[in-house]
């Protein structure tokens, strides 16, 4: 039978709402807890990537990645005839079940949760997190919030549990789905280098900002306004430019901009455009830390 240790990275917490899986990993174990295979791919969620500062996945990385619907057969094949294992299984199972349902596949995901089993096998752990549980048995969690690294660490944690015996659980049934999809790993799905379109801005041009940028949004709005640019809340055909935290973003603003052929640039590119107009970042008052002129 064996086990399928899974981990997913997502755009948020609303599995049955607007959030999606952006990375899924499956590490196969035999009945003794030995690794038999591993598989991982990024997924194109068709929307913005959510908390990129947490999972560290760039929009460029998922640009050519498969959607979950395209990868559904490959995921199902790696779960088939195995018991699913995950740390905080309810989270991963909820997202996988919802994604399968969107792909037209009825596959409720159940299994064993290493977080819940920790109460039995790790009574002296420091907490319930994967890092805390792994630390209790001397396993180093290499890169948290990377699906493959988390799945590998969970597999080692579960192998430790197996030494003491674990509860029985039902394996996932095999489904007649095509299981061939090319894996897209982190750092391998980046498209050709992005060369921003040169845009000459003039007073009255409408600019839209999207994403969580390094500088505060208000600062960019103020700098744009100082040369007569108009901050626009949404993209229209009249929009001159979209400034994005990630120029490859799949946000609704970016999708509409591409449909209207509105250029999308990074905040660094935009700063250069403002510099060419003679606009510099406002200085801070050394006593208060506030930017002068606010």
């Amino acid at each position: 039978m064996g086990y399928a240790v899974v981990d997913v990275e997502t755009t948020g917490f609303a599995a049955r709402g607007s959030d999606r899986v952006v990375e899924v990993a499956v590490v196969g174990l035999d009945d003794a807890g030995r690794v038999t295979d591993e598989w991982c791919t990024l997924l194109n969620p068709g929307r913005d990537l959510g908390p990129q500062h947490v999972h560290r996945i760039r929009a460029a990385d998922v640009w050519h990645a498969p959607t979950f619907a395209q990868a559904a057969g490959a995921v199902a094949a790696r779960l088939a005839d195995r018991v699913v294992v995950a740390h905080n299984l309810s989270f991963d199972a909820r997202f996988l079940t919802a994604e399968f349902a969107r792909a037209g596949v009825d596959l409720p995901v159940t299994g064993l949760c290493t977080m819940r089993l920790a109460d039995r096998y790790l009574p002296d752990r420091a907490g319930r997190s994967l890092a805390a549980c792994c630390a209790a048995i001397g396993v180093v969690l290499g890169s948290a919030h990377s699906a493959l690294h988390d799945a590998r660490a969970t597999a080692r944690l579960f192998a430790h549990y197996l030494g003491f015996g674990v509860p029985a659980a039902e394996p996932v049934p095999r489904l007649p789905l095509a299981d061939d999809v090319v894996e897209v790993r982190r750092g391998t799905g980046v498209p050709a280098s992005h060369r921003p379109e040169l845009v000459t801005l003039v007073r009255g041009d409408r600019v839209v900002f999207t994403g969580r940028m390094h500088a505060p949004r208000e600062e960019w709005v103020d700098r744009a306004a100082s040369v007569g640019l108009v901050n626009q809340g949404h993209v229209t055909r009249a929009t001159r430019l979209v400034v994005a935290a990630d120029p490859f973003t799949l946000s609704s603003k970016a999708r509409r901009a591409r449909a209207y052929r509105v250029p999308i640039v990074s905040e660094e590119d935009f700063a250069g455009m403002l510099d060419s107009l003679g606009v510099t970042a406002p200085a801070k008052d050394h006593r208060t830390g506030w930017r002068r002129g606010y």
Side-chain angles (χ1 to χ4, degrees):
M1 177 181 67
Y3 302 91
V5 183
V6 304
D7 188 81
V8 300
E9 297 300 322
T10 68
T11 63
F13 299 100
R16 295 180 180 84
S18 61
D19 287 313
R20 299 290 184 270
V21 174
V22 294
E23 186 178 35
V24 57
V26 183
V27 175
L29 301 179
D30 64 17
D31 291 337
R34 294 181 293 259
V35 175
T36 58
D37 57 275
E38 62 179 33
W39 181 87
C40 179
T41 190
L42 294 168
L43 297 168
N44 188 322
R47 51 151 289 173
D48 69 272
L49 292 171
Q52 289 176 269
H53 64 289
V54 175
H55 53 58
R56 305 179 306 282
I57 298 171
R58 301 176 303 158
D61 290 331
V62 304
W63 195 263
H64 295 305
T67 63
F68 190 93
Q70 292 168 332
V75 178
R78 285 158 179 82
L79 304 183
D81 303 323
R82 292 170 166 174
V83 172
V84 170
V85 177
H87 197 78
N88 192 6
L89 175 68
S90 63
F91 179 86
D92 298 83
R94 188 165 64 250
F95 266 94
L96 288 173
T97 298
E99 290 284 21
F100 276 121
R102 291 188 192 97
V105 178
D106 181 17
L107 187 65
V109 178
T110 61
L112 298 173
C113 177
T114 54
M115 186 174 73
R116 291 184 177 277
L117 290 173
D119 291 338
R120 179 186 304 184
Y121 301 114
L122 303 173
D124 298 323
R125 69 192 185 282
R128 290 164 56 88
S129 70
L130 178 58
C133 290
C134 285
I137 62 169
V139 171
V140 177
L141 179 57
S143 181
H145 298 295
S146 160
L148 185 55
H149 284 88
D150 286 355
R152 286 170 174 167
T154 302
R156 293 184 65 185
L157 180 63
F158 185 70
H160 175 79
Y161 293 175
L162 280 172
F164 302 95
V166 297
E170 288 296 317
V172 173
R174 184 169 293 277
L175 299 177
L177 297 173
D179 61 2
D180 185 25
V181 69
V182 176
E183 293 176 67
V184 175
R185 298 287 182 95
R186 294 184 183 222
T188 63
V190 182
S193 60
H194 175 65
R195 298 181 63 85
E197 180 178 339
L198 295 178
V199 177
T200 301
L201 298 173
V202 299
R203 188 178 186 85
D205 278 345
R206 302 176 185 182
V207 179
V208 172
F209 298 92
T210 183
R212 182 176 176 177
M213 301 182 186
H214 295 296
R217 178 77 61 87
E218 316 86 68
E219 179 179 321
W220 288 118
V221 171
D222 285 353
R223 291 178 66 184
S226 70
V227 290
L229 300 179
V230 178
N231 176 42
Q232 200 174 15
H234 56 279
V235 177
T236 68
R237 294 184 186 277
T239 303
R240 185 71 179 97
L241 188 71
V242 171
V243 183
D246 183 341
F248 290 100
T249 178
L250 300 172
S251 71
S252 58
K253 289 180 180 178
R255 293 200 304 272
R256 180 165 292 184
R258 294 185 185 105
Y260 292 159
R261 299 185 181 279
V262 174
I264 303 174
V265 302
S266 69
E267 57 185 311
E268 291 81 8
D269 296 331
F270 186 58
M273 294 174 188
L274 292 181
D275 289 343
S276 69
L277 295 173
V279 183
T280 58
K284 289 184 179 180
D285 187 306
H286 71 279
R287 297 165 301 175
T288 66
W290 289 92
R291 289 179 171 81
R292 298 191 186 108
Y294 273 36

